[in-house]
Amino acid sequence: MTAASARLSGKRILVTGGGSGINFAIVERFIAEGASVSVGDLNPGAADAVTALGARFTSVDVADADAIAGWVATEAAALGGLDVVVAGAGYELVATATELTVEQWDHHMAVMLRGPFVTFKAALPVMIEGGGGSLIALGSNLSFAGLTGFTSYVAAKHGLIGLVRVLAIDYAAHGVRVNALCPGPTDTPLIRRQLVGVPDPDGLLARWESDTLLGRLGRPDEIAAGALFLASDESSFVTGSSLLVDGGYTAR
Ligand SMILES: NC(=O)c1ccc[n+]([C@@H]2O[C@H](COP(=O)([O-])OP(=O)(O)OC[C@H]3O[C@@H](n4cnc5c(N)ncnc54)[C@H](O)[C@@H]3O)[C@@H](O)[C@H]2O)c1
């Protein structure tokens, strides 16, 4: 990628959950497009892979609001400002309402819904000071559809759409755009973990594949292409919106 063709040249970007899967592919693409990127991820084991891409890495838990506020402040200072923040950290939890404990629900919400809120809350004053930017929340096809057993996951991902809309309303005048990037089933460690220990993993995988109109899982780089659009100035008239990159999952 030459500097002239780089679509994120000079952009200063934070990515939570950038140590794996979709967010890792986002970091890789953003760096290839000329951005300076800082990753915050719970898993310190991801540090080497992330820094090898040329990004900064901090081990931080998005469920810890104070730690996230400190991380955002430190990284914004190190990068010299903030243009884009991707709130992507998340994990799967499959339990029906009668199986799910209140403690499990609370922790899942603290990561999946409160996590993006505290991340954006910390970033907004810096972005506003700098004249604006782009906030991107990792939603899901399950921001628009239910799925058996995904009680807290579906609730949190639907909630993110509401959060994106109200932030878009409140901060448009400050030049801050806020959108959700909503992948369909994508081949990452998150989805592979759900195949472990089930009676018929091949059958379950085939069902997920046939749940999309395109008959396959998405690739992380295909989701990163959507993130690139929302992060770049090419999406300058897009806010309060949801970009579905789901292989047609939600079309039926
Ligand atoms: N894979 C899919 O099919 C799919 C579909 C739709 C949406 N998503 C969403 O995309 C995002 C990325 O998912 P993925 O499939 O790449 O998963 P993944 O498990 O490969 O990566 C998730 C990353 O988030 C980090 N993380 C988890 N909890 C954290 C916390 N509390 N604080 C900081 N970091 C934390 C993990 O360490 C990991 O590096 C998630 O928000 C997920 O809900 C995934």
Side-chain angles (χ1 to χ4, degrees):
M1 201 73 52
T2 65
S5 68
R7 291 158 68 186
L8 299 178
S9 187
K11 300 248 189 233
R12 300 149 301 178
I13 300 181
L14 302 184
V15 180
T16 70
S20 175
I22 291 168
N23 301 306
F24 186 85
I26 289 173
V27 173
E28 189 172 30
R29 185 71 196 268
F30 282 10
I31 285 181
E33 297 286 350
S36 300
V37 181
S38 183
V39 167
D41 195 291
L42 186 62
N43 176 20
D48 286 351
V50 168
T51 52
L53 293 177
R56 293 166 60 86
F57 181 89
T58 306
S59 179
V60 66
D61 183 353
V62 299
D64 183 339
D66 290 341
I68 285 296
W71 172 70
V72 169
T74 301
E75 295 309 303
L79 298 175
L82 287 181
D83 301 295
V84 178
V85 175
V86 179
Y91 70 97
E92 72 287 4
L93 175 53
V94 186
T96 60
T98 47
E99 295 161 353
L100 188 70
T101 68
V102 172
E103 291 73 24
Q104 285 175 315
W105 166 279
D106 282 347
H107 187 262
H108 213 196
M109 289 294 158
V111 172
M112 308 287 278
L113 187 52
R114 203 185 68 183
F117 164 66
V118 299
T119 306
F120 293 159
K121 180 176 167 58
L124 273 162
V126 183
M127 264 190 184
I128 291 167
E129 172 89 29
S134 171
L135 300 177
I136 302 169
L138 257 293
S140 171
N141 54 318
L142 299 183
S143 294
F144 301 96
L147 183 63
T148 179
F150 279 67
T151 313
S152 47
Y153 191 98
V154 166
K157 292 300 192 190
H158 275 64
L160 276 179
I161 303 305
L163 179 65
V164 158
R165 287 179 173 148
V166 75
L167 295 186
I169 291 166
D170 285 342
Y171 297 100
H174 297 279
V176 179
R177 299 184 296 104
V178 192
N179 293 289
L181 174 66
C182 297
T186 306
D187 198 353
T188 70
L190 179 148
I191 213 160
R192 291 281 161 185
R193 281 191 295 269
Q194 294 168 55
L195 296 171
V196 176
V198 299
D200 178 16
D202 291 343
L204 183 56
L205 180 60
R207 199 167 79 226
W208 288 339
E209 288 170 345
S210 65
D211 280 344
T212 73
L213 297 185
L214 299 179
R216 63 174 176 86
L217 300 182
R219 297 187 316 268
D221 67 284
E222 293 177 303
I223 313 303
L228 174 59
F229 172 66
L230 292 176
S232 77
D233 297 337
E234 289 159 37
S235 60
S236 53
F237 199 52
V238 182
T239 195
S241 185
S242 302
L243 177 57
L244 279 156
V245 187
D246 71 347
Y249 181 105
T250 48
R252 65 181 168 212

